[in-house]
Amino acid sequence: MSGLVLISTDKALLAFSLIFVSSALWPILPHVSLIIIASVLAFLCIYFSLSASLSGALLGFVWASSMGYWYTAWQLNSNILNQNVLIEGRVTSISPAETAKTQDENATFVHQAIRFNIQINKLGKQHLRHSPQVRLSWYRSDYLPKQGQSFRLLVNLKAPSGLANPHTFHYQTWLASKNIVATGYVIDSNSNQVLDEQLSFRQQSIDAMRKIELPHSSWLQALSFGYRGELSDQDWELLQKSGTAHLFAISGLHVGIVFGYCLFFVSKPLAISSALLGFRQYQIGKASAAVAAVLCLVYAYLAGFEIPVLRAILALLFWTYLLITGSHWRLPAVLLYLITSFFILFPFSILGVSFWFSFIAVLSIWLFVWRFMPSSSLTFWKKVKYTVYLQIWLCVITMPLTLYVFGQLPVFALFANLLLVPWVSFVLVPLCLLGTFSMIMGLPCSFYTLIFKLADDAMELTLLIMRQTVETSDAFAIERFYLGSLSLSIMVVALILCLLPFWRYKKRLIVFCMCVLIVRSQTHPFLHPTLVIFDVGQGSSALLRFKNAQMKELAWLFDTGASFPSGFSMAEAVILPTLQHHQISTLELIFLSHLDNDHAGGMTALRRQTIINHVLSPQNMCSTDALDPRQLKQVGMQLQVLWPLSPEDGQENNHSCVITLEINGTRILFAGDIEREAEQALLKIYKESGSLKSDILIAPHHGSRTSSTDDFVTAVSPRYVVFSAGHPNRWGFPHDEVVQRYQRLDSQIFHTGKQGAVEFVFAPNKTKVQTYREHGYNRWYFKAPN
């Protein structure tokens, strides 16, 4: 009977997990009435012992829906957003200080940009019953906040939003996965003060390590404390290209290593103690596991109790419980209980990529062990061989997700992992552990300094292998590899089929999956000219992709978005990932409407990482002499430059290039940042000819009230109007009166800050339009905040 109960429970847990995971794809949260009905039905199913699968599915639906509403309820009141407010809270984590330069016409100022998370316990005069977490930036601060300190700060908060573009990092999704309910910045004020200087024990340990002058301190901090904030952009690029990022993110691998070493070093003293005190021998293993689990909890604390660490600790504690109680569970049942526990305790972790990497890794290990169960009588070298095969399988099974997330696959990452996994496991991590525990136990400074210097030398060899891997694989890496969600599913199915026992149609199915995957990789879904107006915050950028008469794909870029003193640029965050996804290495044309930072700030990054054939700007009147109008006509395109009439320096808004582009009968007007004066000049020249009449308008100056005059709006009479502006922004673009002018003409309004990137597909005699938040990535947690 107990076996039947366990199997029934497995079905319920499996149904619960599947429904809960599906919530990551829900476009909206279900109505409260549906949640109540599902709760009642779940209770009836459990009370009358009805279908276990139905009970689990209903409970999964209720739990996922409740967590969604819980996250929504935790959002800060909109009345206190986008204005100055005084908060009190405790710093939970920080990012390193970034030196940034701000230059004006008189001087250049050097300041620091500090980003940190803080748990708020007081907002204004209101003491909060819960402690929501917000992420703040502190510019021009001479003070570096540290974990554990409490502050009173004057801040400006905004809803947790982010850029919404295809093929790019979803910052808003990342915020939701971390349960961060707002972002903002600290305002310079006399009100800012430290309420409590007490640092967390983890922060004290990190500071103690920093006092030791080590060339690779940032890497050792990652291995010892899970703090990767001091890794540079070059370090992150090295991790990604070498395929070794998982080795420097404390998770199940590191917790397992710590547990193994603790178990080894604890069991011997306990065996000696048991002999002296007369304990029974069978109790040694259980006691050793319990002590090792406690030491792993200490390690998890030093690692900051990050979600991947907590997942590993939960699995370890569950295994320790089974060992101590002498319970024998089937492996599938253990996995289902653990996964369900993860979803209950860390419900938003399914929105993060790290969870899926961990989940696929654990699932693949289970499949491998189930298919090739090792014998307990294996010799040492056979165990090594088995471990190598397991590592190869892990690399192979995670390839699809790596390709899907990063768009590239280092061919030699497998060999790097085969060398570095045992090196990190048996040399580097033990040295870091020994140094860390020696330091926190108060041993002489000279001792743990020596240990950390040995670890630093070991890290030097590790970096040498990683760099050599990148250099060797650069020529072979599958860069800019197009892999959609369907291709990902096909590849995963094929790999899983490889592990299943032999059956009649196994080989045929594998071959079929591979053939479909090859065909999809060679067949690009791009058919018609496509224009994407990116969401680049308070700036402008759009990408046009089309095929010429020879069916060669070409790309034009209209403006590049902004760059910032911290080094962040919209070109690197938005444009380049899109180009890489579409396998575009050459930009045929870049149109710079004018040279303001929000329109041309990304040129440096683009010149560094792409080939640019032509750049058109007000300095050359955006002259199209380099284009062959006959070739454009062959693909159904016509281009006309309306403004400026003479070369300009491009520094003024009214110097902006104004361009009309006709694609398959649809006219698009790019108006740059022109204002009232330029609009009136254009009306005098082109009103009679009707050259301003367009179907799509990229609204001038992001919707400023100094542009989009009544006469200009009437002359253009657009069917679609796109306001490229951040949401919210300090200028209030687009202004309400401007929006109303277009609405009076029944124009369809799009705001990139609210709706994300806007995509137009120009099929012959038909134009399709969709927005990223509403169609491309329609998720309840990705909606633009009001």
Side-chain angles (χ1 to χ4, degrees), residues 540 559 591-595 599 616-618 622 650 655-657 671-673:
S540 177
D559 290 334
F591 291 87
L592 297 179
S593 61
H594 65 307
L595 302 184
H599 290 253
L616 309 183
S617 72
C622 276
H655 293 172
S656 297
C657 292
D673 273 1

Side-chain angles (χ1 to χ4, degrees), residues 29-33 35 64-74 780:
L29 291 174
H31 195 272
V32 175
S33 59
I35 302 175
S65 305
S66 302
M67 290 301 97
Y69 278 105
W70 175 69
Y71 176 77
T72 303
W74 266 39
W780 65 268

Side-chain angles (χ1 to χ4, degrees), residues 15-24 60-61 63-64 67 343 347-348 350:
F16 178 96
S17 301
L18 291 176
I19 295 299
F20 185 84
V21 168
S22 73
S23 67
F61 175 81
W63 181 250
M67 290 301 97
F343 292 157
F348 302 110
I350 62 171

Side-chain angles (χ1 to χ4, degrees), residues 552-574:
K552 178 184 177 182
E553 185 174 343
L554 301 178
W556 292 359
L557 186 67
F558 300 83
D559 290 334
T560 69
S563 62
F564 300 92
S566 64
F568 176 84
S569 75
M570 292 297 175
E572 292 179 306
V574 177

Side-chain angles (χ1 to χ4, degrees), residues 215-285:
H216 308 303
S217 175
S218 58
W219 295 94
L220 298 184
Q221 289 176 37
L223 285 173
S224 302
F225 307 105
Y227 178 67
R228 301 191 292 176
E230 292 191 357
L231 295 178
S232 64
D233 292 339
Q234 292 76 17
D235 295 334
W236 283 107
E237 184 178 3
L238 178 62
L239 287 172
Q240 180 178 327
K241 287 189 173 183
S242 63
T244 55
H246 62 99
L247 294 178
F248 297 91
I250 294 180
S251 57
L253 173 65
H254 302 80
V255 173
I257 294 171
V258 173
F259 182 79
Y261 279 108
C262 291
L263 194 62
F264 176 78
F265 287 108
V266 167
S267 59
K268 297 300 180 182
L270 284 179
I272 296 173
S273 300
S274 64
L276 296 175
L277 299 176
F279 292 134
R280 295 180 180 179
Q281 291 295 314
Y282 76 87
Q283 296 176 329
I284 295 176

Side-chain angles (χ1 to χ4, degrees), residues 523-577:
T523 305
H524 206 281
F526 171 60
L527 297 175
H528 303 294
T530 301
L531 177 70
V532 177
I533 296 95
F534 292 120
D535 175 15
V536 290
Q538 193 59 33
S540 177
S541 183
L543 178 69
L544 174 67
R545 296 183 296 120
F546 63 97
K547 292 181 179 179
N548 61 14
Q550 291 74 37
M551 299 305 293
K552 178 184 177 182
E553 185 174 343
L554 301 178
W556 292 359
L557 186 67
F558 300 83
D559 290 334
T560 69
S563 62
F564 300 92
S566 64
F568 176 84
S569 75
M570 292 297 175
E572 292 179 306
V574 177
I575 300 172
L576 287 170

Side-chain angles (χ1 to χ4, degrees), residues 720-733:
Y720 305 105
V721 180
V722 180
F723 292 102
S724 183
H727 175 72
N729 61 79
R730 58 180 175 175
W731 299 278
F733 295 162

Side-chain angles (χ1 to χ4, degrees), residues 160-175:
S161 184
L163 304 178
N165 298 284
H167 323 306
T168 61
F169 174 66
H170 292 166
Y171 182 60
Q172 185 174 347
T173 303
W174 181 84
L175 291 174

